[in-house]
């Protein structure tokens, strides 16, 4: 059946770049992908995939690299584990393992050279084609009632314009992020006219930072093809977005939710404690442990 153009403009796919070496988490990442490091007992990438799935997305494009096969295996069935558990009558555990296999369609494509985040997103073009899509970066966990990606998708559908999620950060932290500048349209929504990747303090267009959530029109691919290498000699997604903002409307939305920077050691511990305290079976024990360590 032919798809109507209305269908075509709906966001159905998400790209998760996962080709990085994860050197910030060495030695943990020497033999396992950093995306597989768990927050409590759920690998970081599963938290990210679950956000996409809760936002109505089933097709996840993983931009991957050598030595990342563990991620693909994680989102598949594991007959050995599941069959053994079932035979032992441990159905609940078997179902827990199977549920991850059922979560999504994982489609992977390799980023053969580490040429930056913008280049990683461009690698997904053969799978995304001419459709809008979400991008979720694996180092940022966002805890919110309505998933952050869902918030951005709703705005994309309403305005038919690309949207990046933003949060306000202290001035001394602007150089850790892509920063947007533009005109506020309402309390949380901005029409973006310019973006800077990791500006120096004092040269930032605002304090609105992009913590790794985007919903983009396919025009971004053409923009990324024309993006010259920027910060760190890499093709930056933020620079591609600058070209997009010059060609099409680009919005920034101050999303609702709490964000954890799990790419940073303290942020990782913060997320671990927060997610453990949300689990009724773990919370009392974790509180006791915290009291013990603070003595
Ligand atoms: C990347 C992006 C940056 C964004 C950040 C969010 O940087 O380049 O624009 O704000 O992710 O985590 P990285 O942290 O990979 O250096």
């Amino acid at each position: 059946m032919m798809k109507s153009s209305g269908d075509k403009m709906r966001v159905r796919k998400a790209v998760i770049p996962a080709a990085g070496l994860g050197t910030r988490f060495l030695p943990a990442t020497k033999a396992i992908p950093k995306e597989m490091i768990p927050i409590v007992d759920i690998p970081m990438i599963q938290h990210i995939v679950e956000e996409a799935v809760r936002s109505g997305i089933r097709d996840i494009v993983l931009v991957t690299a050598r030595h990342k096969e563990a991620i693909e295996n994680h989102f598949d069935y594991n007959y050995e584990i599941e069959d053994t558990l079932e035979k032992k009558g441990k159905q609940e555990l078997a179902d827990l393992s199977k549920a991850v296999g059922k979560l999504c369609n994982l489609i992977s494509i390799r980023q053969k050279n580490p040429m930056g985040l913008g280049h990683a997103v461009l690698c997904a073009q053969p799978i995304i084609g001419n459709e809008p899509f979400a991008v979720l970066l694996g180092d940022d966990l966002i805890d919110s009632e309505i998933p952050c990606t869902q918030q951005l998708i709703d705005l994309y559908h309403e305005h038919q314009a690309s949207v990046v999620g933003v949060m306000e950060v202290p001035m001394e932290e602007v150089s850790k992020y892509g920063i947007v500048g533009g005109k506020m349209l309402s309390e949380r929504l901005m029409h973006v006219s310019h973006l800077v990747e990791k500006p120096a303090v004092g040269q930032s267009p605002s304090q609105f930072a992009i913590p790794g959530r985007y919903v983009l029109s396919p025009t971004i691919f053409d923009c990324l093809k024309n993006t010259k290498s920027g910060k760190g000699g890499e093709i930056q997604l933020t620079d591609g977005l600058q070209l997009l903002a010059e060609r099409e409307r680009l919005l920034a939305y101050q999303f609702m939710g709490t964000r954890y920077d799990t790419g940073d050691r303290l942020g990782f511990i913060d997320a671990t404690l927060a997610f453990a305290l949300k689990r009724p079976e773990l919370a009392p024990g974790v509180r006791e442990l915290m009291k013990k360590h603070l003595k």
Side-chain angles (χ1 to χ4, degrees):
M1 202 170 69
M2 285 274 287
K3 271 187 247 118
S4 74
S5 58
D7 275 348
K8 226 174 144 190
M9 296 320 283
R10 295 199 77 77
V11 180
R12 303 181 308 167
K13 296 188 180 112
V15 173
I16 304 183
L21 292 176
T23 49
R24 278 194 281 179
F25 266 82
L26 277 169
T29 48
K30 218 176 150 186
I32 58 162
K34 74 164 174 186
E35 292 80 7
M36 291 304 293
I37 296 177
I39 301 289
V40 190
D41 46 12
I42 297 177
M44 281 200 253
I45 189 136
Q46 188 181 329
H47 286 283
I48 304 288
V49 167
E50 282 177 357
E51 178 186 325
V53 169
R54 288 205 292 135
S55 306
I57 288 171
R58 285 280 299 162
D59 295 335
I60 307 279
V61 181
L62 189 74
V63 182
T64 180
R66 290 173 288 282
H67 313 305
K68 296 279 185 161
E69 294 79 6
I71 304 177
E72 286 154 23
N73 293 338
H74 183 70
F75 292 99
D76 198 348
Y77 297 120
N78 182 326
Y79 290 104
E80 196 182 348
I81 288 186
E82 289 145 16
D83 193 56
T84 308
L85 287 169
E86 274 169 4
K87 282 190 181 127
K88 286 187 173 170
K90 295 185 175 171
Q91 194 58 46
E92 229 175 273
L93 274 180
D95 289 345
L96 192 68
S97 174
K98 279 186 190 169
V100 186
K102 277 195 203 121
L103 207 53
C104 64
N105 299 320
L106 196 73
I107 307 154
S108 34
I109 189 152
R110 292 273 178 116
Q111 182 186 22
K112 295 176 194 165
N113 294 307
M115 288 167 66
L117 178 61
H119 176 256
V121 171
L122 186 54
C123 288
Q125 186 183 23
I127 304 170
I128 299 292
N130 197 27
E131 287 184 21
F133 62 102
V135 178
L136 295 87
L137 302 189
D139 281 342
D140 305 273
L141 283 193
I142 298 173
D143 185 25
S144 54
E145 201 175 312
I146 302 171
C148 179
T149 295
Q150 176 77 67
Q151 296 175 38
L152 303 185
I153 289 176
D154 289 346
L155 284 165
Y156 185 96
H157 290 158
E158 188 186 331
H159 297 270
Q160 288 294 312
S162 302
V163 202
V164 296
V166 292
M167 61 180 189
E168 205 164 359
V169 297
M171 193 47 100
E172 57 275 19
E173 284 184 22
V174 289
S175 36
K176 284 173 37 185
Y177 301 98
I179 305 286
V180 297
K183 185 170 166 265
M184 293 310 292
L185 300 174
S186 61
E187 206 190 325
R188 288 181 174 271
L189 199 63
M190 178 194 271
H191 182 175
V192 179
S193 52
H194 52 292
L195 302 97
V196 188
E197 176 68 5
K198 305 194 174 110
V201 176
Q203 282 171 23
S204 183
S206 77
Q207 284 168 249
F208 287 114
I210 309 175
R213 294 296 183 276
Y214 315 75
V215 171
L216 303 174
S217 108
T219 308
I220 189 66
F221 293 128
D222 199 41
C223 297
L224 287 169
K225 280 180 198 155
N226 290 303
T227 301
K228 298 194 177 63
S229 52
K231 266 253 142 72
E234 297 187 338
I235 310 281
Q236 297 291 347
L237 180 55
T238 307
D239 296 340
L241 289 169
Q242 175 64 47
L243 298 184
L244 184 72
E246 289 162 18
R247 283 174 60 170
E248 287 182 2
R249 204 147 61 107
L250 174 65
L251 303 170
Y253 178 65
Q254 205 182 345
F255 61 85
M256 289 168 285
T258 309
R259 179 262 185 171
Y260 299 93
D261 178 8
T262 53
D264 168 81
R265 285 174 165 77
L266 271 182
F268 177 82
I269 295 167
D270 186 16
T272 303
L273 288 173
F275 280 72
L277 288 168
K278 279 169 69 113
R279 298 263 291 265
E281 79 281 19
L282 294 176
V286 173
R287 282 209 179 82
E288 282 306 311
L289 286 173
M290 285 164 82
K291 269 193 230 151
K292 184 182 96 178
H293 287 291
L294 288 172
K295 259 188 205 153

